Amino acid sequence: MFASPLVANSTRKGLGLCAALGSALVSGPRRSIIDLSYSSHFMDFGGSAIPPSMKKLVVHALSPRFGDAVRVDTCPVPTPGDTDLLVRNRFVGINASDINYSAGRYDPSVKPPFDAGFEGIGEVVGLGLSASAHFAVGDPVAYFSDGAFAEYMVVPAKKSIRVPSVKPEFLTLLLSGATAHIALRRLGDLAAGKTVLVTAAAGGTGQFAVQFAKKAGCHVVGTCSSDEKAGFLKTIGCDRPVNYKAEDLAAVLRKEYPGGVDAVYESVGGTVFDLALNSLAAHGRLIVIGFISGYQSDLGVPPVRSAALPAKLLKKSASVRGFFLPHFLSDYREAMESMLRMCVRGALVCEVDRGDMAPGGRFVGLESVFRAVDYMYARKNIGKVVVEVAPTVDSKL
């Protein structure tokens, strides 16, 4: 038996993001509190009983090859503690760093098995008594927390964000949007009239970097791998999309931007990093948010010609700045509040790729996470890749 009660309904309180990741932004009607005993374990929600078991993705062997590292396991649906929410996932986000995680690169001390996935969105179907001070059953919530590739997820209330609805567009903000928002604001030193280069600009986070740089009044150059992606970039304000499969990026930068670029939002690594470094203007900033070209390698880090790095930076008074979102969580609340407001009023495009054009069709069910990861690494996606989770029992919301 469990000491804490399971609350089926509660009073909604306040606005804004909750605790460290923010408070709720959407208020609603008041609800009465019904204190249920954990002896019943699960409530009936929306006419559908929560099942005793669920599926989740678990890393069983360390490997940058996601399919080799991860498998689908069946386990009991977890029980929320006093300060937790039980969330029925509707969508989960795919990130390039999912295979860094499956390779054990973030914390070498953690050994398999461990749960995979970083972000999800769904509705609250159970919660502890203390958590009911801020959330209620039925609330649509999003979260950024390890182990998100699951049909149900226990999330601390303080890490949960109430969103206007369970739409995958809001999921795009949690990691992809927040990385671009905070990195450019804290490290980009953007100003009107400056030139910004965004690599992988049509991807999950690149799309936001393009938009935030434009909102700062910058001229934006964005790299991509197809004419279709270049067309998308134009729709979100990119001044100069460059399909690097059809054009020589180095030649474009030399000819059209002979004075260099003032800031680079860089996620590819390898030769692209080298080119970005060589293309910096005086006082230029190169922000490294990833090196996706090396993620699938057993070696991890792709080689760069960095022997002359000190000289290159010195003669331009330039800088290379690394950005890792967990180091900037003090900025997370403000970033999420700002982006949600922009998204709700239609001032921010949150492009979602659900795999409609992928081999095998739309990504539905946890098993399709494997296809979604491959699809993203094949550079086929436009916007953020998301998977629709299909729990064993669907609610009627």
Side-chain angles (χ1 to χ4, degrees):
M1 299 297 293
F2 298 86
S4 301
L6 181 67
V7 179
N9 294 286
S10 68
T11 303
R12 260 187 240 241
K13 296 183 179 179
L15 301 174
L17 299 175
C18 240
L21 297 187
S23 52
L25 291 176
V26 180
S27 62
R30 295 174 63 85
R31 303 183 182 191
S32 61
I33 295 178
I34 302 175
D35 185 1
L36 299 181
S37 167
Y38 261 130
S39 61
S40 60
H41 202 106
F42 293 114
M43 74 189 76
D44 183 86
F45 177 67
S48 299
I50 297 173
S53 63
M54 68 171 191
K55 295 177 181 178
K56 67 177 180 178
L57 299 192
V58 179
V59 176
H60 283 273
L62 298 181
S63 173
R65 291 166 290 280
F66 195 79
D68 294 339
V70 179
R71 73 185 189 205
V72 181
D73 284 1
T74 299
C75 65
V77 173
T79 302
D82 181 57
T83 59
D84 297 330
L85 309 179
L86 177 64
V87 178
R88 176 181 284 153
N89 279 336
R90 292 302 179 187
F91 296 94
V92 292
I94 304 300
N95 294 281
S97 51
D98 285 325
I99 65 174
N100 276 340
Y101 196 60
S102 70
R105 290 172 179 153
Y106 289 134
D107 186 352
S109 67
V110 177
K111 306 300 181 185
F114 54 86
D115 298 343
F118 296 130
E119 55 184 342
I121 188 170
E123 70 264 359
V124 176
V125 294
L127 68 166
L129 183 58
S130 294
S132 69
H134 302 285
F135 291 91
V137 167
D139 280 343
V141 296
Y143 61 87
F144 163 25
S145 186
D146 295 348
F149 290 158
E151 291 179 328
Y152 293 84
M153 179 77 175
V154 166
V155 187
K158 67 180 181 179
K159 288 189 175 183
S160 303
I161 304 165
R162 190 180 296 121
V163 289
S165 62
V166 183
K167 290 183 178 180
E169 287 77 9
F170 296 118
L171 179 64
T172 67
L173 305 177
L174 293 172
L175 272 73
S176 298
T179 295
H181 188 286
I182 300 170
L184 289 176
R185 183 167 61 86
R186 287 286 300 273
L187 306 180
D189 297 330
L190 302 187
K194 299 296 185 180
T195 298
V196 177
L197 171 64
V198 179
T199 62
T205 189
Q207 65 171 325
F208 292 108
V210 168
Q211 294 178 79
F212 294 140
K214 285 302 297 179
K215 290 179 185 298
C218 299
H219 177 94
V220 181
V221 183
T223 72
C224 61
S225 60
S226 72
D227 289 341
E228 183 184 8
K229 292 182 179 184
F232 165 69
L233 289 177
K234 290 180 181 179
T235 68
I236 60 173
C238 184
D239 299 287
R240 182 55 166 99
V242 181
N243 173 4
Y244 59 79
K245 290 189 174 181
E247 296 186 87
D248 184 331
L249 177 60
V252 169
L253 292 174
R254 282 195 305 268
K255 179 180 179 181
E256 300 181 26
Y257 305 93
V261 297
D262 300 293
V264 183
Y265 185 81
E266 215 292 281
S267 61
V268 178
T271 57
V272 176
F273 174 92
D274 289 327
L275 177 58
L277 177 66
N278 292 334
S279 301
L280 287 176
H283 306 288
R285 288 84 58 199
L286 197 167
I287 304 170
V288 179
I289 63 109
F291 49 94
I292 192 172
S293 62
Y295 289 177
Q296 290 181 300
S297 167
D298 288 320
L299 298 177
V301 181
V304 296
R305 296 189 295 273
S306 59
L309 180 62
K312 289 180 178 181
L313 296 178
L314 181 63
K315 72 178 182 179
K316 295 181 178 181
S317 295
S319 62
V320 177
R321 307 179 180 185
F323 179 89
F324 187 47
L325 183 59
H327 295 156
F328 291 83
L329 290 183
S330 61
D331 297 89
Y332 195 83
R333 171 176 177 164
E334 181 182 352
M336 285 301 301
E337 288 177 334
S338 175
M339 290 187 295
L340 280 170
R341 285 194 296 267
M342 285 189 282
C343 189
V344 168
R345 70 173 186 264
L348 187 65
V349 174
C350 305
E351 188 69 17
V352 169
D353 193 329
R354 298 176 64 175
D356 291 307
M357 305 304 294
R362 178 172 285 195
F363 304 129
V364 178
L366 284 178
E367 293 84 353
S368 65
V369 167
F370 298 93
R371 286 196 299 118
V373 170
D374 290 341
Y375 175 76
M376 181 187 61
Y377 272 95
R379 294 174 290 183
K380 300 296 185 182
N381 61 297
I382 296 179
K384 176 82 173 187
V385 180
V386 301
V387 171
E388 181 179 357
V389 181
T392 304
V393 179
D394 286 336
S395 81
K396 296 181 179 180
L397 289 185

